[in-house]
Amino acid sequence: MISSSGEAAISAVNMVGSINVFLFQIFVAVGLGGTVLIAQYFGRGEHQMLGKVVNGTVFGAVLVATSLALLFLLGHRLILDLLFGDAAPAVMSQARLYMVDVLISYPFEAIVEGTNGSLRGIGRTRSSLQLSLAMNLLNLLFNFIFIVYFKMGVLGLVVSLNLSRWLASSFALVTLDHLRELFFMKWSSMTHIDFRMIKRVVVVCIPFAAESFFFNGGKIIMQMMIVSLGTQVIATNAIATSWVQLSEIVPSALGTALVPIVGQSIGRHNLKDARKITKSFLVTGILAYVMGELLLLASFNRGLSYFIPRPLLNHEFSSCI
Amino acid sequence: MKKILTRYFSGEDFDYHFVLSLLGPVIFDQFFWWFLILSTRQ
């Protein structure tokens, strides 16, 4: 979609995209921290604690996301200049616009991630999916309206992103309200911030956050090197990276789904089940990764012609892969 | 198939139905998210 707005737009979205994923994964980690605690209390049968952990998870995610957003809003020019100073001026100006507006959406996205983390903890991954689907479908719909129909380019992309996240955060609160009995939650417990519980959730989320910090930090370093090679190479890398992410879907989903299963097993003091399912998921993840890569290799030419019609970019794309 | 699923994805406290019902929506969710990113950057 954004390629219709030119290579500068693709490059800008991709450059900021790497920083965005880096920051986004930090408050997703807070949601996962909440999943761990909720799954453990749920497994132990201490249901009266669930509402308190939901408070810590949702407010914790919002607090972390808002702090990151404020920090990066204040220093966005400096950060973009330091990381991607070699990019063309047209790319940089669109990158600034994209970054500021993505950061504004963080607190709303954090409500969704905190809610999703809480839902996964009690095994309600279907409700979590409904919430994510609603947000992503709205985003897709708004993308068509603002990028394809109104041809607003990067501005359209961020308007669409913000609208879908604002609406999804309302859906998240409605979902929590509907499921409040499952969480043994009273709305009065959500009207104040439980800093002690936030601290617990944040401490549990540190390993998840550290993992994504190093993984996505590496991607930013790669991005910094690619920027000096020119706008076309940045755009090529953007498309190639998106394409190869297909093989990461199942392993990543296995990692997310493993958290509530192991958490509930630990809550029940059943280490045997926790060990068994971890081993099974690890082996399944490796197999899925290898199969995904083979599938991508086999469908490379077809995939290439489907996504990038321009011959020159095709050449760059092949070289990049 | 049922035997394999039971052997690798069932425990003492849960069966493979529970595991797959947790896993399925997460895979679908991530796949849709990937599709969204791809269609946006396309």
Side-chain angles (χ1 to χ4, degrees):
Chain A
M1 250 178 255
I2 197 67
S3 64
S4 59
S5 310
E7 276 160 6
I10 306 177
S11 307
V13 169
N14 186 56
M15 274 164 36
V16 178
S18 53
I19 304 173
N20 177 38
V21 170
F22 177 75
L23 298 174
F24 170 77
Q25 290 296 337
I26 294 176
F27 56 87
V28 167
V30 179
L32 276 170
T35 307
V36 172
L37 287 178
I38 289 175
Q40 288 188 1
Y41 281 121
F42 192 74
R44 263 201 299 270
E46 290 182 37
H47 294 161
Q48 70 284 357
M49 284 299 290
L50 297 178
K52 289 181 183 173
V53 188
V54 172
N55 181 308
T57 308
V58 176
F59 281 117
V62 172
L63 204 68
V64 170
T66 309
S67 310
L68 286 172
L70 286 174
L71 191 72
F72 278 76
L73 270 173
L74 286 173
H76 75 278
R77 278 176 183 273
L78 181 70
I79 291 159
L80 283 174
D81 283 341
L82 275 176
L83 294 177
F84 311 119
D86 290 338
V91 175
M92 279 302 263
S93 91
Q94 301 216 42
R96 280 190 206 107
L97 170 73
Y98 185 60
M99 189 168 179
V100 167
D101 287 277
V102 166
L103 289 169
I104 290 169
S105 75
Y106 274 11
F108 303 96
E109 173 67 14
I111 295 175
V112 177
E113 289 308 322
T115 307
N116 278 342
S118 306
L119 292 168
R120 285 177 187 142
I122 55 164
R124 297 293 292 244
T125 51
R126 199 172 288 182
S127 305
S128 152
L129 170 68
Q130 284 167 354
L131 191 54
S132 296
L133 266 185
M135 181 170 70
N136 291 333
L137 281 171
L138 280 171
N139 198 347
L140 207 58
L141 176 74
F142 290 139
N143 277 346
F144 270 109
I145 296 170
F146 294 111
I147 302 173
V148 178
Y149 187 73
F150 287 117
K151 300 192 188 309
M152 285 168 67
V154 173
L155 181 65
L157 189 68
V158 289
V159 168
S160 151
L161 187 82
N162 271 286
L163 280 177
S164 59
R165 289 184 175 178
W166 295 349
L167 286 169
S169 63
S170 318
F171 295 156
L173 296 175
V174 171
T175 308
L176 278 180
D177 183 44
H178 276 304
L179 300 174
R180 64 182 187 277
E181 284 178 8
L182 268 177
F183 287 114
F184 285 76
M185 195 173 73
K186 288 175 187 158
W187 271 119
S188 57
S189 65
M190 290 300 281
T191 52
H192 71 280
I193 304 175
D194 187 346
F195 284 102
R196 198 182 291 176
M197 192 49 85
I198 289 177
K199 195 180 163 191
R200 282 195 65 193
V201 172
V202 169
V203 167
V204 173
C205 89
I206 288 173
F208 294 115
E211 185 194 339
S212 60
F213 178 86
F214 291 114
F215 183 69
N216 294 305
K219 285 185 177 176
I220 291 181
I221 293 170
M222 284 294 294
Q223 190 76 53
M224 285 164 67
M225 293 175 189
I226 286 164
V227 161
S228 59
L229 301 175
T231 305
Q232 198 167 55
V233 178
I234 305 173
T236 305
N237 179 62
I239 296 160
T241 309
S242 306
W243 178 238
V244 295
Q245 268 175 353
L246 183 67
S247 61
E248 292 170 16
I249 291 175
V250 177
S252 163
L254 283 162
T256 307
L258 183 64
V259 177
I261 301 171
V262 170
Q264 290 188 19
S265 298
I266 298 286
R268 294 190 191 102
H269 304 291
N270 187 345
L271 289 179
K272 197 179 156 196
D273 275 4
R275 284 201 186 101
K276 182 186 172 182
I277 205 74
T278 304
K279 276 183 198 163
S280 298
F281 269 41
L282 188 65
V283 173
T284 312
I286 293 168
L287 289 175
Y289 198 82
V290 172
M291 281 172 68
E293 293 293 345
L294 289 174
L295 191 75
L296 283 177
L297 273 175
S299 58
F300 177 74
N301 286 330
R302 187 178 284 267
L304 194 66
S305 59
Y306 181 69
F307 288 101
I308 328 154
R310 281 166 293 178
L312 189 61
L313 206 55
N314 266 355
H315 172 72
E316 293 284 345
F317 190 78
S318 305
S319 312
C320 186
I321 289 284
Chain B
M1 190 66 179
K2 205 172 168 181
K3 238 179 186 176
I4 296 172
L5 288 172
T6 308
R7 183 169 175 187
Y8 293 104
F9 296 106
S10 293
E12 288 167 357
D13 290 328
F14 53 83
D15 62 358
Y16 70 87
H17 290 107
F18 170 75
V19 174
L20 296 183
S21 68
L22 267 176
L23 185 58
V26 182
I27 292 180
F28 190 84
D29 187 7
Q30 301 237 353
F31 185 80
F32 196 81
W33 186 76
W34 170 81
F35 174 74
L36 180 74
I37 298 282
L38 200 65
S39 66
T40 305
R41 288 182 182 179
Q42 190 198 341

